[in-house]
Amino acid sequence: MTIQYDQQRSLFHLQSKDTSYVIHITKTGYPAHIYWGKKVRGVQLERLFELTGRASFTPSTELDQMELSLDTLPHEYPAYGNSDFRMPAFQVKLPNGTTVTDLRYDSYQIINGKPALAGLPATYVESDSEAQTLEITLKDDLTGLSVILSYTVFEHYDAITRSAKIINNGNDTLQLQRAFSMSLDFAHDRFEMLQLSGAWIRERHIHKRTLVPGLQSIESRRGSSSHMQNPFVALLSEGSTEDHGDVYGVNLVYSGNFTAGVEVDQFHAARLFIGINPFDFNWQLEPGEQFQTPEAVMVHSEHGLGGMSRSFHDFYRARLIRGTFRDQTRPILVNNWEATYFNFNADKIEDIARAGQELGIELFVLDDGWFGKRDNDTTSLGDWFVDRNKLPNGLEDLVSRVKRLDMQFGLWFEPEMISPESELYKAHPDWCLHVEGRRRTQARQQLILDMSRTDVQQYIVKSISDILSSAPITYVKWDMNRNMTEIGSALLPAERQRETAHRYMLGLYAVLEEITSSFPNILFESCSGGGGRFDAGMLYYMPQTWTSDNSDAVSRLKIQYGTSIVYPVSSMGAHVSAVPNHQVGRITSLATRGNVALSGNFGYELDLTQFTEEEKSEVKEQVALYKDVRHLVQFGDFYRLLSPFDGNETAWMFVSKDQSEAFVVFVSVLQEPNPKLNRFRLKGLDPNRDYKLHGEETVYGGDQLLYAGLATPQFFGDYASKVYRFRAVE
């Protein structure tokens, strides 16, 4: 891990574990992107930078260097208006109404370690020896504007992080209209772009497209990262597969409006970018003020999409997720939502918890409906006090009843929302996001609290903290069930209204930092109608996320497979729910529901008291199995074997870091008559070791499992599955 500066050649060479990233400062002071890929030694890297004269419609930037055009320069942080016609990384409106800037190299510094980003989640180090950070300062002499480009490389991970800090060192107020976290130019466009897109209960499906000239991008304008798009894109070189080929992934550590994509120019060069969505964004930058962009995490792998994913997984588990539960296995839970919805009392909850305790489940989670007058979803959000009609002896009594069963207790909140029918709204109708004179659009019969306001932040911190302090609660599900409309704040002046969405995120992050720091022994899980805010920003505060409100085992194959492209399995909540499934009506076996849910943070979301004796026995086996393999599932290396997007069969596996254990899940969706015989290969094992299959005396060579594989299991009936456990023979 080094950052080297060759002053004679004006080259910065950043080297992480297996990756190099090279920047060249041109003679005229522009930072040019030279290389990102497999680690190289750095011999004559300047030869990778070539200036070639182009057609007359590509203007020359310097009269004495006619071949230099910003329209063809592989620029590290491009602006618009000064001869680069491609997608800019930043744009500032000046007092005279123009948006032309000319940022040129001023200075640099190399820092041991990694500075935190003020007010924003970001990856971190535990020792300054783990990483180095390069800060390149660019200046616009006319306005006094400065931009500090920050790059961090890590010794033990193939990750490079980037962000930008825009500083107004001039005398005039500036309007920041665009501020991406990263932008870089590839010399060619021979890539496929992969994105994770979908909808509520159909999140993070994999979509690929071959790059073509023009703009191909994704974005969210919903006030959150959203169910529809995820703040991640990857570029796959020609011929790349799950296991082979160069793959370049970028992920934004941010939970609000974003954009990401690629622009292919007239010369078939590809510009990759990610950052805050400039749509409806403006930030007033007073003299002396600065604006910090969120962090972009960049991962390159020469070992295909799977290699990129495992690099993200290792990095995020160790240096994004924080706190007590970062390195701990997570408890098996039961959630009462689909068992009772709003219709419960203390006795019913205790009955479900007792049934869970008998099955070996470790944590009971009380979902929506325990507060205010919350008998349905039309009321009481914001009124965070116990509903004494349902729980006459209070929350403390219910928690103690569950704890006496030797189970932990968890609680659902939706702190960012407010119901028009609530005591809080009657007292503070101006506390929601709204535009004066406009109707207040409701979704799920609720409005959104204005998290840009400090009084709202203080209320949330106090009301949630009071509940968490009132009883021995060890788990919190933090939900958020609608997207933003009428994005305005009663406290911001007119010229700052378009700052509201980003100020909301800064306020939310401040609240999460305070609450999670005050209650370090509570396991927090984020949720937004399931996976509507499954992003790296939330994982910084909460180590796991409810993957989707759709708990159907067949639907979950694509949802969990797609999520694993960038996010570690330890961050995914996965539950067994009732059949017919409440989202799609499908009937699947308890075995298959369990086998799919085992590939995540395992739990149940149904009425455990309704199980037959046969079902209880099967659930006990599932719970015991998960306790045996959860260290693999949550912290092992994850390998995708067969894709649900490519066929009828799905398979994936988990391998311990020392390659001594493996857990494999195989699912077949629809059965065919008289099917052909087939085999599927395992991955990640040591070819020189032998492995014993659990429950049998059969021993397989690691090389046999890797290169010849296992016979595809034959099933009778749809939605069938099988799991395999292997342990190395010593």
Side-chain angles (χ1 to χ4, degrees), residues 1-3 14-21 36-37 114 123-125 130-132 151-162 249-251 295-301 307-308 310-316 319-320:
M1 177 271 301
T2 58
I3 297 177
L14 290 67
Q15 295 176 305
S16 62
K17 185 166 71 78
D18 292 312
T19 303
S20 282
Y21 190 101
W36 177 31
K114 183 178 187 291
T123 59
Y124 60 90
V125 296
E130 294 179 16
Q132 282 188 317
Y151 305 77
T152 299
V153 293
F154 294 79
E155 180 178 13
H156 301 297
Y157 304 98
D158 268 328
I160 297 173
T161 66
R162 284 191 60 179
V250 294
N251 187 214
E295 181 170 85
V297 178
M298 307 164 52
V299 168
H300 164 265
S301 173
M308 182 210 70
R310 286 184 290 279
S311 289
F312 269 114
H313 296 174
D314 285 346
F315 187 48
Y316 280 177
R319 291 297 177 263
L320 174 71

Side-chain angles (χ1 to χ4, degrees), residues 17 40 43 78 90 222 321 402 577 652 680 691:
K17 185 166 71 78
V40 295
V43 178
F90 84 106
R222 294 173 168 267
I321 293 170
V402 172
S577 59
W652 51 57
F680 68 103
Y691 292 87

Side-chain angles (χ1 to χ4, degrees), residues 11 20 36 122 133 164 183 295 311 396 400 418 425 460 466 517 525 545 553-554 562 615 620 649:
L11 280 177
S20 282
W36 177 31
T133 299
S183 175
E295 181 170 85
S311 289
E396 301 89 337
S400 67
I418 184 171
Y425 189 79
I460 293 174
D466 285 349
S517 298
E525 178 176 270
T545 300
V554 175
E615 289 171 328
K620 286 180 180 179
E649 297 165 338

Side-chain angles (χ1 to χ4, degrees), residues 168-289:
N168 184 0
N169 290 316
N171 298 318
D172 298 313
T173 299
L174 304 176
Q175 304 295 328
L176 183 61
Q177 298 181 325
R178 179 189 301 258
F180 287 172
S181 297
M182 63 78 62
S183 175
L184 68 83
D185 295 324
F186 292 92
H188 63 87
D189 64 350
R190 297 186 298 276
F191 296 108
E192 281 188 306
M193 186 176 102
L194 182 150
Q195 64 195 66
L196 302 175
S197 305
W200 175 68
I201 69 173
R202 185 170 41 80
E203 297 92 337
R204 290 172 302 286
H205 282 205
I206 296 173
H207 297 268
K208 297 179 186 177
R209 45 179 155 163
T210 300
L211 294 185
V212 297
L215 182 64
Q216 34 257 288
S217 66
I218 58 172
E219 64 178 351
S220 173
R221 298 184 294 272
R222 294 173 168 267
S224 70
S225 49
S226 83
H227 300 83
M228 295 72 194
Q229 304 291 353
N230 194 265
F232 166 81
V233 292
L235 294 183
L236 286 62
S237 61
E238 289 179 315
S240 291
T241 65
E242 182 69 22
D243 305 301
H244 305 287
D246 286 310
V247 176
Y248 304 83
V250 294
N251 187 214
L252 193 65
V253 186
Y254 189 63
S255 310
N257 293 334
F258 76 92
T259 188
V262 180
E263 183 179 20
V264 176
D265 70 9
Q266 58 187 322
F267 304 113
H268 292 275
R271 172 167 288 175
L272 174 66
F273 60 86
I274 195 166
I276 292 175
N277 197 336
F279 177 84
D280 202 40
F281 169 83
N282 188 85
W283 193 273
Q284 184 164 291
L285 206 57
E286 300 290 347
E289 291 186 343

